[in-house]
Short mmCIF file of all heavy atoms in Angstrom, two decimals:
data_model
loop_
_atom_site.label_atom_id
_atom_site.label_comp_id
_atom_site.label_asym_id
_atom_site.label_seq_id
_atom_site.Cartn_x
_atom_site.Cartn_y
_atom_site.Cartn_z
N MET A 1 116.84 57.92 -61.66
CA MET A 1 115.82 57.04 -61.12
C MET A 1 114.49 57.73 -61.10
O MET A 1 113.46 57.10 -61.31
CB MET A 1 116.25 56.67 -59.69
CG MET A 1 115.48 55.50 -59.18
SD MET A 1 116.38 54.83 -57.77
CE MET A 1 116.02 53.17 -57.93
N THR A 2 114.48 59.00 -60.94
CA THR A 2 113.24 59.74 -60.95
C THR A 2 112.57 59.69 -62.34
O THR A 2 111.35 59.54 -62.42
CB THR A 2 113.45 61.22 -60.60
OG1 THR A 2 114.21 61.27 -59.39
CG2 THR A 2 112.18 61.95 -60.39
N ASP A 3 113.37 59.73 -63.39
CA ASP A 3 112.83 59.64 -64.74
C ASP A 3 112.15 58.28 -64.97
O ASP A 3 111.11 58.21 -65.61
CB ASP A 3 113.94 59.87 -65.78
CG ASP A 3 114.40 61.32 -65.78
OD1 ASP A 3 113.64 62.17 -65.31
OD2 ASP A 3 115.53 61.55 -66.27
N GLU A 4 112.80 57.20 -64.46
CA GLU A 4 112.21 55.88 -64.63
C GLU A 4 110.87 55.78 -63.90
O GLU A 4 109.92 55.19 -64.43
CB GLU A 4 113.16 54.80 -64.11
CG GLU A 4 114.35 54.59 -65.01
CD GLU A 4 115.30 53.52 -64.45
OE1 GLU A 4 114.84 52.71 -63.62
OE2 GLU A 4 116.45 53.52 -64.85
N LYS A 5 110.79 56.35 -62.75
CA LYS A 5 109.54 56.31 -61.97
C LYS A 5 108.46 57.12 -62.69
O LYS A 5 107.34 56.67 -62.79
CB LYS A 5 109.77 56.86 -60.58
CG LYS A 5 108.57 56.66 -59.66
CD LYS A 5 108.88 57.05 -58.23
CE LYS A 5 107.64 56.79 -57.36
NZ LYS A 5 107.85 57.18 -55.99
N LYS A 6 108.81 58.26 -63.19
CA LYS A 6 107.84 59.08 -63.93
C LYS A 6 107.38 58.34 -65.19
O LYS A 6 106.19 58.37 -65.52
CB LYS A 6 108.49 60.43 -64.32
CG LYS A 6 108.57 61.40 -63.16
CD LYS A 6 109.12 62.73 -63.63
CE LYS A 6 109.27 63.69 -62.46
NZ LYS A 6 109.82 64.99 -62.90
N LEU A 7 108.32 57.72 -65.88
CA LEU A 7 107.97 56.98 -67.07
C LEU A 7 107.01 55.84 -66.75
O LEU A 7 106.01 55.64 -67.40
CB LEU A 7 109.24 56.43 -67.76
CG LEU A 7 109.00 55.61 -69.04
CD1 LEU A 7 108.38 56.49 -70.12
CD2 LEU A 7 110.34 55.02 -69.52
N HIS A 8 107.32 55.16 -65.66
CA HIS A 8 106.46 54.05 -65.21
C HIS A 8 105.07 54.57 -64.88
O HIS A 8 104.08 53.97 -65.26
CB HIS A 8 107.09 53.36 -63.99
CG HIS A 8 106.26 52.22 -63.48
ND1 HIS A 8 106.11 51.03 -64.15
CD2 HIS A 8 105.51 52.13 -62.33
CE1 HIS A 8 105.29 50.27 -63.45
NE2 HIS A 8 104.95 50.89 -62.36
N GLU A 9 104.99 55.67 -64.16
CA GLU A 9 103.70 56.25 -63.80
C GLU A 9 102.94 56.68 -65.06
O GLU A 9 101.73 56.50 -65.17
CB GLU A 9 103.88 57.41 -62.81
CG GLU A 9 104.30 56.96 -61.45
CD GLU A 9 104.57 58.14 -60.51
OE1 GLU A 9 104.41 59.30 -60.95
OE2 GLU A 9 104.90 57.89 -59.36
N THR A 10 103.65 57.25 -66.00
CA THR A 10 103.03 57.70 -67.24
C THR A 10 102.51 56.50 -68.01
O THR A 10 101.37 56.55 -68.51
CB THR A 10 104.04 58.50 -68.09
OG1 THR A 10 104.53 59.57 -67.32
CG2 THR A 10 103.38 59.02 -69.35
N LEU A 11 103.28 55.45 -68.09
CA LEU A 11 102.82 54.26 -68.80
C LEU A 11 101.63 53.62 -68.10
O LEU A 11 100.67 53.19 -68.74
CB LEU A 11 103.96 53.24 -68.90
CG LEU A 11 105.07 53.56 -69.89
CD1 LEU A 11 106.18 52.54 -69.81
CD2 LEU A 11 104.55 53.63 -71.31
N LYS A 12 101.68 53.62 -66.78
CA LYS A 12 100.53 53.07 -66.01
C LYS A 12 99.29 53.91 -66.24
O LYS A 12 98.20 53.39 -66.42
CB LYS A 12 100.86 53.02 -64.53
CG LYS A 12 99.75 52.36 -63.70
CD LYS A 12 100.15 52.13 -62.31
CE LYS A 12 99.12 51.54 -61.43
NZ LYS A 12 97.80 51.33 -61.89
N GLU A 13 99.47 55.22 -66.26
CA GLU A 13 98.32 56.10 -66.52
C GLU A 13 97.78 55.86 -67.91
O GLU A 13 96.55 55.82 -68.10
CB GLU A 13 98.75 57.57 -66.36
CG GLU A 13 98.98 57.99 -64.92
CD GLU A 13 99.58 59.37 -64.80
OE1 GLU A 13 99.86 60.02 -65.84
OE2 GLU A 13 99.83 59.81 -63.64
N LYS A 14 98.68 55.73 -68.88
CA LYS A 14 98.24 55.46 -70.25
C LYS A 14 97.48 54.12 -70.32
O LYS A 14 96.45 54.00 -70.95
CB LYS A 14 99.41 55.45 -71.21
CG LYS A 14 99.94 56.81 -71.54
CD LYS A 14 101.07 56.72 -72.54
CE LYS A 14 101.60 58.09 -72.91
NZ LYS A 14 102.69 58.04 -73.91
N PHE A 15 98.04 53.13 -69.63
CA PHE A 15 97.38 51.82 -69.58
C PHE A 15 96.03 51.93 -68.95
O PHE A 15 95.03 51.34 -69.45
CB PHE A 15 98.26 50.80 -68.86
CG PHE A 15 97.59 49.46 -68.72
CD1 PHE A 15 97.53 48.59 -69.82
CD2 PHE A 15 97.01 49.06 -67.55
CE1 PHE A 15 96.92 47.35 -69.74
CE2 PHE A 15 96.37 47.82 -67.42
CZ PHE A 15 96.32 46.97 -68.53
N ASP A 16 95.93 52.63 -67.84
CA ASP A 16 94.65 52.77 -67.13
C ASP A 16 93.66 53.50 -68.01
O ASP A 16 92.46 53.12 -68.07
CB ASP A 16 94.83 53.55 -65.83
CG ASP A 16 95.56 52.74 -64.77
OD1 ASP A 16 95.66 51.48 -64.94
OD2 ASP A 16 96.07 53.34 -63.79
N ASP A 17 94.08 54.53 -68.76
CA ASP A 17 93.19 55.22 -69.68
C ASP A 17 92.73 54.30 -70.78
O ASP A 17 91.56 54.29 -71.16
CB ASP A 17 93.90 56.46 -70.30
CG ASP A 17 94.10 57.56 -69.29
OD1 ASP A 17 93.44 57.53 -68.20
OD2 ASP A 17 94.92 58.47 -69.56
N PHE A 18 93.65 53.51 -71.32
CA PHE A 18 93.33 52.56 -72.39
C PHE A 18 92.33 51.55 -71.88
O PHE A 18 91.33 51.22 -72.55
CB PHE A 18 94.60 51.87 -72.90
CG PHE A 18 94.36 50.80 -73.93
CD1 PHE A 18 94.00 51.16 -75.22
CD2 PHE A 18 94.42 49.46 -73.59
CE1 PHE A 18 93.76 50.18 -76.18
CE2 PHE A 18 94.16 48.48 -74.54
CZ PHE A 18 93.84 48.85 -75.82
N LYS A 19 92.60 51.01 -70.69
CA LYS A 19 91.68 50.02 -70.11
C LYS A 19 90.31 50.63 -69.88
O LYS A 19 89.28 50.00 -70.15
CB LYS A 19 92.25 49.51 -68.77
CG LYS A 19 91.49 48.36 -68.22
CD LYS A 19 92.13 47.82 -66.97
CE LYS A 19 91.25 46.69 -66.46
NZ LYS A 19 91.24 46.59 -65.06
N ALA A 20 90.25 51.87 -69.45
CA ALA A 20 88.94 52.53 -69.25
C ALA A 20 88.23 52.67 -70.59
O ALA A 20 87.01 52.46 -70.67
CB ALA A 20 89.15 53.90 -68.61
N ASP A 21 88.95 53.02 -71.64
CA ASP A 21 88.36 53.13 -72.98
C ASP A 21 87.80 51.77 -73.44
O ASP A 21 86.72 51.70 -74.01
CB ASP A 21 89.36 53.64 -74.01
CG ASP A 21 89.69 55.10 -73.81
OD1 ASP A 21 88.94 55.81 -73.10
OD2 ASP A 21 90.71 55.57 -74.34
N VAL A 22 88.56 50.71 -73.19
CA VAL A 22 88.13 49.38 -73.56
C VAL A 22 86.88 49.01 -72.77
O VAL A 22 85.92 48.45 -73.36
CB VAL A 22 89.25 48.35 -73.33
CG1 VAL A 22 88.72 46.92 -73.47
CG2 VAL A 22 90.38 48.56 -74.34
N ASP A 23 86.86 49.33 -71.51
CA ASP A 23 85.67 49.04 -70.68
C ASP A 23 84.43 49.77 -71.21
O ASP A 23 83.34 49.20 -71.24
CB ASP A 23 85.94 49.38 -69.21
CG ASP A 23 86.94 48.42 -68.56
OD1 ASP A 23 87.21 47.34 -69.12
OD2 ASP A 23 87.46 48.80 -67.49
N VAL A 24 84.62 51.02 -71.58
CA VAL A 24 83.49 51.80 -72.14
C VAL A 24 83.03 51.15 -73.45
O VAL A 24 81.82 51.01 -73.67
CB VAL A 24 83.92 53.26 -72.38
CG1 VAL A 24 82.92 54.00 -73.23
CG2 VAL A 24 84.13 53.98 -71.06
N HIS A 25 83.96 50.76 -74.26
CA HIS A 25 83.63 50.11 -75.53
C HIS A 25 82.86 48.79 -75.30
O HIS A 25 81.85 48.53 -75.95
CB HIS A 25 84.93 49.85 -76.34
CG HIS A 25 84.71 49.37 -77.74
ND1 HIS A 25 84.17 50.17 -78.71
CD2 HIS A 25 84.96 48.18 -78.30
CE1 HIS A 25 84.10 49.50 -79.82
NE2 HIS A 25 84.55 48.29 -79.61
N LYS A 26 83.32 48.03 -74.36
CA LYS A 26 82.64 46.75 -73.99
C LYS A 26 81.23 47.03 -73.51
O LYS A 26 80.28 46.33 -73.87
CB LYS A 26 83.40 45.98 -72.94
CG LYS A 26 84.62 45.25 -73.46
CD LYS A 26 85.27 44.46 -72.31
CE LYS A 26 86.49 43.74 -72.76
NZ LYS A 26 87.15 43.01 -71.64
N ALA A 27 81.10 48.04 -72.68
CA ALA A 27 79.79 48.40 -72.13
C ALA A 27 78.82 48.82 -73.24
O ALA A 27 77.67 48.44 -73.22
CB ALA A 27 79.92 49.51 -71.08
N GLU A 28 79.35 49.56 -74.19
CA GLU A 28 78.51 49.98 -75.33
C GLU A 28 78.02 48.76 -76.12
O GLU A 28 76.85 48.67 -76.50
CB GLU A 28 79.26 50.94 -76.25
CG GLU A 28 79.48 52.31 -75.64
CD GLU A 28 80.44 53.17 -76.47
OE1 GLU A 28 81.05 52.66 -77.41
OE2 GLU A 28 80.57 54.37 -76.11
N HIS A 29 78.92 47.80 -76.37
CA HIS A 29 78.52 46.60 -77.09
C HIS A 29 77.53 45.77 -76.28
O HIS A 29 76.58 45.22 -76.86
CB HIS A 29 79.76 45.76 -77.42
CG HIS A 29 80.46 46.19 -78.65
ND1 HIS A 29 79.96 45.95 -79.92
CD2 HIS A 29 81.58 46.90 -78.84
CE1 HIS A 29 80.76 46.48 -80.81
NE2 HIS A 29 81.77 47.08 -80.19
N GLN A 30 77.72 45.68 -74.98
CA GLN A 30 76.80 44.94 -74.14
C GLN A 30 75.42 45.60 -74.18
O GLN A 30 74.39 44.90 -74.18
CB GLN A 30 77.31 44.83 -72.71
CG GLN A 30 78.49 43.87 -72.57
CD GLN A 30 79.08 43.85 -71.21
OE1 GLN A 30 78.96 44.81 -70.43
NE2 GLN A 30 79.78 42.78 -70.88
N GLU A 31 75.39 46.94 -74.19
CA GLU A 31 74.09 47.61 -74.23
C GLU A 31 73.42 47.37 -75.55
O GLU A 31 72.22 47.09 -75.59
CB GLU A 31 74.34 49.14 -74.04
CG GLU A 31 73.08 49.95 -74.02
CD GLU A 31 73.32 51.42 -73.80
OE1 GLU A 31 74.49 51.82 -73.57
OE2 GLU A 31 72.35 52.17 -73.89
N LYS A 32 74.20 47.40 -76.66
CA LYS A 32 73.64 47.09 -77.97
C LYS A 32 73.06 45.66 -78.01
O LYS A 32 71.99 45.40 -78.52
CB LYS A 32 74.66 47.28 -79.09
CG LYS A 32 74.98 48.71 -79.37
CD LYS A 32 76.04 48.85 -80.45
CE LYS A 32 76.48 50.26 -80.66
NZ LYS A 32 77.55 50.38 -81.63
N ASP A 33 73.84 44.73 -77.45
CA ASP A 33 73.40 43.31 -77.42
C ASP A 33 72.12 43.18 -76.58
O ASP A 33 71.20 42.43 -76.97
CB ASP A 33 74.47 42.41 -76.85
CG ASP A 33 75.64 42.23 -77.80
OD1 ASP A 33 75.49 42.54 -79.02
OD2 ASP A 33 76.73 41.77 -77.35
N ALA A 34 72.05 43.91 -75.47
CA ALA A 34 70.87 43.84 -74.62
C ALA A 34 69.64 44.38 -75.38
O ALA A 34 68.54 43.83 -75.30
CB ALA A 34 71.09 44.64 -73.33
N LEU A 35 69.84 45.49 -76.11
CA LEU A 35 68.74 46.05 -76.88
C LEU A 35 68.27 45.06 -77.98
O LEU A 35 67.08 44.92 -78.20
CB LEU A 35 69.14 47.38 -77.53
CG LEU A 35 69.30 48.55 -76.53
CD1 LEU A 35 69.86 49.76 -77.27
CD2 LEU A 35 67.99 48.87 -75.85
N LYS A 36 69.23 44.41 -78.64
CA LYS A 36 68.87 43.40 -79.63
C LYS A 36 68.07 42.27 -79.01
O LYS A 36 67.10 41.77 -79.59
CB LYS A 36 70.14 42.82 -80.31
CG LYS A 36 70.78 43.76 -81.28
CD LYS A 36 72.01 43.12 -81.88
CE LYS A 36 72.79 44.07 -82.77
NZ LYS A 36 74.02 43.45 -83.32
N ASP A 37 68.48 41.85 -77.79
CA ASP A 37 67.78 40.76 -77.11
C ASP A 37 66.36 41.19 -76.75
O ASP A 37 65.41 40.40 -76.87
CB ASP A 37 68.54 40.34 -75.83
CG ASP A 37 69.83 39.60 -76.15
OD1 ASP A 37 69.99 39.13 -77.29
OD2 ASP A 37 70.65 39.51 -75.23
N VAL A 38 66.21 42.43 -76.33
CA VAL A 38 64.87 42.94 -76.01
C VAL A 38 63.99 42.97 -77.27
O VAL A 38 62.83 42.55 -77.23
CB VAL A 38 64.97 44.34 -75.37
CG1 VAL A 38 63.60 45.01 -75.30
CG2 VAL A 38 65.57 44.24 -73.99
N GLU A 39 64.56 43.43 -78.37
CA GLU A 39 63.79 43.49 -79.64
C GLU A 39 63.43 42.09 -80.07
O GLU A 39 62.29 41.84 -80.54
CB GLU A 39 64.62 44.19 -80.71
CG GLU A 39 64.74 45.68 -80.50
CD GLU A 39 65.68 46.33 -81.53
OE1 GLU A 39 66.15 45.66 -82.45
OE2 GLU A 39 65.94 47.53 -81.37
N LYS A 40 64.38 41.16 -79.95
CA LYS A 40 64.12 39.76 -80.37
C LYS A 40 63.00 39.16 -79.49
O LYS A 40 62.11 38.50 -80.00
CB LYS A 40 65.39 38.94 -80.21
CG LYS A 40 65.33 37.57 -80.81
CD LYS A 40 66.55 36.75 -80.52
CE LYS A 40 67.71 37.12 -81.42
NZ LYS A 40 68.89 36.23 -81.24
N ALA A 41 63.05 39.44 -78.20
CA ALA A 41 62.00 38.94 -77.30
C ALA A 41 60.66 39.55 -77.64
O ALA A 41 59.65 38.83 -77.59
CB ALA A 41 62.40 39.25 -75.83
N ALA A 42 60.65 40.84 -77.96
CA ALA A 42 59.36 41.48 -78.31
C ALA A 42 58.78 40.87 -79.57
O ALA A 42 57.58 40.59 -79.67
CB ALA A 42 59.59 42.99 -78.49
N LYS A 43 59.66 40.62 -80.58
CA LYS A 43 59.17 40.00 -81.81
C LYS A 43 58.66 38.58 -81.55
O LYS A 43 57.68 38.15 -82.10
CB LYS A 43 60.32 39.92 -82.85
CG LYS A 43 60.64 41.30 -83.45
CD LYS A 43 61.77 41.20 -84.45
CE LYS A 43 62.12 42.56 -84.99
NZ LYS A 43 63.27 42.50 -85.92
N HIS A 44 59.36 37.88 -80.64
CA HIS A 44 58.93 36.52 -80.29
C HIS A 44 57.56 36.57 -79.62
O HIS A 44 56.72 35.74 -79.90
CB HIS A 44 59.97 35.87 -79.40
CG HIS A 44 59.61 34.46 -79.00
ND1 HIS A 44 59.65 33.44 -79.89
CD2 HIS A 44 59.20 33.95 -77.82
CE1 HIS A 44 59.28 32.32 -79.27
NE2 HIS A 44 59.01 32.61 -78.03
N ASP A 45 57.36 37.54 -78.73
CA ASP A 45 56.05 37.70 -78.05
C ASP A 45 54.95 37.98 -79.05
O ASP A 45 53.88 37.42 -78.97
CB ASP A 45 56.10 38.80 -76.99
CG ASP A 45 56.84 38.40 -75.74
OD1 ASP A 45 57.08 37.19 -75.57
OD2 ASP A 45 57.16 39.31 -74.92
N VAL A 46 55.23 38.84 -80.01
CA VAL A 46 54.21 39.16 -81.02
C VAL A 46 53.91 37.91 -81.85
O VAL A 46 52.75 37.60 -82.10
CB VAL A 46 54.73 40.32 -81.95
CG1 VAL A 46 53.84 40.46 -83.16
CG2 VAL A 46 54.77 41.63 -81.16
N LYS A 47 54.95 37.19 -82.24
CA LYS A 47 54.75 35.96 -83.02
C LYS A 47 53.95 34.95 -82.18
O LYS A 47 53.06 34.27 -82.73
CB LYS A 47 56.09 35.37 -83.43
CG LYS A 47 55.95 34.15 -84.33
CD LYS A 47 57.32 33.64 -84.74
CE LYS A 47 57.28 32.48 -85.69
NZ LYS A 47 56.42 31.39 -85.38
N SER A 48 54.26 34.85 -80.90
CA SER A 48 53.51 33.92 -80.03
C SER A 48 52.04 34.32 -79.97
O SER A 48 51.17 33.45 -80.03
CB SER A 48 54.10 33.91 -78.63
OG SER A 48 55.39 33.36 -78.65
N ASP A 49 51.80 35.61 -79.86
CA ASP A 49 50.38 36.10 -79.83
C ASP A 49 49.66 35.75 -81.12
O ASP A 49 48.53 35.33 -81.11
CB ASP A 49 50.34 37.62 -79.60
CG ASP A 49 50.75 38.00 -78.18
OD1 ASP A 49 50.77 37.10 -77.29
OD2 ASP A 49 51.04 39.19 -77.96
N VAL A 50 50.37 35.94 -82.26
CA VAL A 50 49.79 35.60 -83.55
C VAL A 50 49.50 34.11 -83.63
O VAL A 50 48.43 33.66 -84.07
CB VAL A 50 50.68 36.05 -84.70
CG1 VAL A 50 50.23 35.48 -86.02
CG2 VAL A 50 50.72 37.57 -84.76
N ASP A 51 50.45 33.29 -83.18
CA ASP A 51 50.28 31.82 -83.18
C ASP A 51 49.12 31.43 -82.31
O ASP A 51 48.35 30.53 -82.66
CB ASP A 51 51.57 31.15 -82.72
CG ASP A 51 52.71 31.26 -83.76
OD1 ASP A 51 52.43 31.59 -84.91
OD2 ASP A 51 53.86 30.99 -83.36
N LEU A 52 48.98 32.07 -81.12
CA LEU A 52 47.85 31.75 -80.25
C LEU A 52 46.52 32.14 -80.90
O LEU A 52 45.53 31.39 -80.77
CB LEU A 52 48.02 32.48 -78.91
CG LEU A 52 49.11 31.94 -77.99
CD1 LEU A 52 49.25 32.83 -76.77
CD2 LEU A 52 48.80 30.51 -77.54
N ASP A 53 46.50 33.26 -81.57
CA ASP A 53 45.29 33.69 -82.25
C ASP A 53 44.92 32.69 -83.37
O ASP A 53 43.75 32.33 -83.54
CB ASP A 53 45.46 35.07 -82.88
CG ASP A 53 45.48 36.20 -81.83
OD1 ASP A 53 45.05 35.92 -80.66
OD2 ASP A 53 45.92 37.30 -82.15
N LYS A 54 45.92 32.25 -84.10
CA LYS A 54 45.66 31.25 -85.17
C LYS A 54 45.14 29.95 -84.57
O LYS A 54 44.22 29.33 -85.09
CB LYS A 54 46.94 30.96 -85.97
CG LYS A 54 47.33 32.06 -86.92
CD LYS A 54 48.58 31.68 -87.67
CE LYS A 54 49.05 32.78 -88.60
NZ LYS A 54 50.29 32.42 -89.31
N ALA A 55 45.77 29.54 -83.46
CA ALA A 55 45.32 28.31 -82.80
C ALA A 55 43.89 28.45 -82.32
O ALA A 55 43.07 27.51 -82.47
CB ALA A 55 46.23 27.95 -81.66
N ALA A 56 43.55 29.58 -81.73
CA ALA A 56 42.17 29.80 -81.28
C ALA A 56 41.19 29.79 -82.46
O ALA A 56 40.09 29.22 -82.34
CB ALA A 56 42.08 31.14 -80.55
N ASP A 57 41.58 30.40 -83.57
CA ASP A 57 40.72 30.33 -84.76
C ASP A 57 40.53 28.92 -85.24
O ASP A 57 39.40 28.55 -85.64
CB ASP A 57 41.34 31.18 -85.89
CG ASP A 57 41.23 32.68 -85.63
OD1 ASP A 57 40.44 33.08 -84.76
OD2 ASP A 57 41.98 33.44 -86.30
N ASN A 58 41.59 28.12 -85.22
CA ASN A 58 41.48 26.73 -85.66
C ASN A 58 40.56 25.94 -84.74
O ASN A 58 39.78 25.08 -85.19
CB ASN A 58 42.87 26.07 -85.74
CG ASN A 58 43.67 26.58 -86.90
OD1 ASN A 58 43.14 27.08 -87.87
ND2 ASN A 58 44.99 26.45 -86.80
N VAL A 59 40.63 26.21 -83.45
CA VAL A 59 39.74 25.53 -82.49
C VAL A 59 38.29 25.93 -82.76
O VAL A 59 37.40 25.08 -82.80
CB VAL A 59 40.14 25.88 -81.02
CG1 VAL A 59 39.04 25.43 -80.05
CG2 VAL A 59 41.48 25.24 -80.71
N ASP A 60 38.07 27.22 -83.01
CA ASP A 60 36.72 27.68 -83.32
C ASP A 60 36.17 27.01 -84.58
O ASP A 60 35.02 26.58 -84.63
CB ASP A 60 36.68 29.21 -83.50
CG ASP A 60 36.90 29.95 -82.20
OD1 ASP A 60 36.75 29.33 -81.12
OD2 ASP A 60 37.24 31.16 -82.25
N LYS A 61 37.02 26.90 -85.60
CA LYS A 61 36.61 26.26 -86.85
C LYS A 61 36.33 24.79 -86.60
O LYS A 61 35.34 24.24 -87.19
CB LYS A 61 37.69 26.41 -87.92
CG LYS A 61 37.82 27.80 -88.48
CD LYS A 61 38.94 27.87 -89.50
CE LYS A 61 39.17 29.30 -89.96
NZ LYS A 61 40.31 29.36 -90.91
N ALA A 62 37.12 24.15 -85.81
CA ALA A 62 36.91 22.73 -85.51
C ALA A 62 35.61 22.51 -84.78
O ALA A 62 34.84 21.59 -85.07
CB ALA A 62 38.06 22.16 -84.70
N VAL A 63 35.27 23.40 -83.84
CA VAL A 63 34.02 23.32 -83.10
C VAL A 63 32.83 23.52 -84.05
O VAL A 63 31.85 22.79 -83.97
CB VAL A 63 34.01 24.35 -81.93
CG1 VAL A 63 32.61 24.48 -81.34
CG2 VAL A 63 35.03 23.98 -80.89
N GLU A 64 32.97 24.48 -84.97
CA GLU A 64 31.89 24.73 -85.95
C GLU A 64 31.71 23.52 -86.85
O GLU A 64 30.57 23.09 -87.12
CB GLU A 64 32.23 25.96 -86.80
CG GLU A 64 32.09 27.27 -86.06
CD GLU A 64 32.55 28.43 -86.91
OE1 GLU A 64 32.71 28.27 -88.12
OE2 GLU A 64 32.75 29.54 -86.33
N ARG A 65 32.82 22.94 -87.32
CA ARG A 65 32.71 21.76 -88.19
C ARG A 65 32.08 20.59 -87.45
O ARG A 65 31.28 19.83 -88.00
CB ARG A 65 34.08 21.38 -88.72
CG ARG A 65 34.61 22.32 -89.73
CD ARG A 65 35.93 21.80 -90.32
NE ARG A 65 36.52 22.84 -91.17
CZ ARG A 65 37.76 23.24 -91.11
NH1 ARG A 65 38.61 22.71 -90.24
NH2 ARG A 65 38.20 24.18 -91.93
N GLU A 66 32.47 20.41 -86.20
CA GLU A 66 31.88 19.35 -85.41
C GLU A 66 30.37 19.54 -85.22
O GLU A 66 29.59 18.59 -85.35
CB GLU A 66 32.56 19.26 -84.05
CG GLU A 66 32.13 18.10 -83.19
CD GLU A 66 32.85 18.00 -81.88
OE1 GLU A 66 33.87 18.69 -81.68
OE2 GLU A 66 32.36 17.29 -81.00
N ALA A 67 30.00 20.79 -84.98
CA ALA A 67 28.55 21.10 -84.81
C ALA A 67 27.82 20.84 -86.11
O ALA A 67 26.71 20.27 -86.11
CB ALA A 67 28.39 22.54 -84.35
N GLU A 68 28.40 21.24 -87.25
CA GLU A 68 27.77 21.00 -88.55
C GLU A 68 27.69 19.52 -88.85
O GLU A 68 26.68 19.05 -89.40
CB GLU A 68 28.58 21.71 -89.64
CG GLU A 68 28.45 23.22 -89.63
CD GLU A 68 29.38 23.90 -90.65
OE1 GLU A 68 30.05 23.18 -91.42
OE2 GLU A 68 29.40 25.13 -90.64
N ALA A 69 28.69 18.76 -88.45
CA ALA A 69 28.69 17.33 -88.71
C ALA A 69 27.62 16.66 -87.89
O ALA A 69 26.95 15.71 -88.38
CB ALA A 69 30.06 16.75 -88.37
N LYS A 70 27.41 17.09 -86.67
CA LYS A 70 26.36 16.49 -85.82
C LYS A 70 24.98 16.85 -86.37
O LYS A 70 24.07 16.04 -86.29
CB LYS A 70 26.49 16.99 -84.38
CG LYS A 70 27.66 16.39 -83.64
CD LYS A 70 27.69 16.87 -82.23
CE LYS A 70 28.89 16.24 -81.50
NZ LYS A 70 29.04 16.71 -80.13
N GLU A 71 24.81 18.06 -86.93
CA GLU A 71 23.53 18.43 -87.50
C GLU A 71 23.25 17.75 -88.80
O GLU A 71 22.12 17.43 -89.12
CB GLU A 71 23.53 19.95 -87.74
CG GLU A 71 23.44 20.82 -86.50
CD GLU A 71 23.50 22.30 -86.79
OE1 GLU A 71 23.41 22.68 -87.98
OE2 GLU A 71 23.64 23.07 -85.85
N GLY A 72 24.34 17.51 -89.57
CA GLY A 72 24.18 16.97 -90.92
C GLY A 72 24.10 15.47 -90.90
O GLY A 72 23.29 14.69 -91.02
#
């Protein structure tokens, strides 16, 4: 009976170690996913800034054209 208990404890320890390894692996993947999300958000912010700059340029051009049209 002692051998069965030791075997059970050994299997449980192995399972616990395996589970810990899986948890570490999951955490690493979650960290990578989080970094990808941060990079994606940063790229989106840069793109938004560029889009805002383009929109502001278009507004400036429209104001200039309107002023020229009123003069002409």
Side-chain angles (χ1 to χ4, degrees):
M1 195 163 214
T2 309
D3 290 340
E4 287 180 20
K5 188 173 182 182
K6 285 183 181 178
L7 179 63
H8 179 70
E9 288 176 0
T10 303
L11 288 175
K12 183 171 179 356
E13 289 172 358
K14 285 183 179 181
F15 177 76
D16 290 344
D17 289 344
F18 176 75
K19 188 176 178 214
D21 288 343
V22 169
D23 290 344
V24 167
H25 188 68
K26 283 182 180 178
E28 289 171 352
H29 277 285
Q30 288 175 338
E31 184 179 353
K32 288 178 185 177
D33 289 344
L35 290 174
K36 285 180 186 177
D37 289 344
V38 167
E39 288 175 6
K40 190 185 281 186
K43 287 179 183 177
H44 181 71
D45 284 347
V46 169
K47 186 178 182 312
S48 294
D49 289 344
V50 169
D51 290 344
L52 288 174
D53 289 343
K54 286 181 181 178
D57 288 344
N58 288 338
V59 168
D60 291 342
K61 288 178 186 176
V63 168
E64 288 176 14
R65 288 185 188 130
E66 185 178 346
E68 288 174 5
K70 286 182 181 178
E71 288 178 9

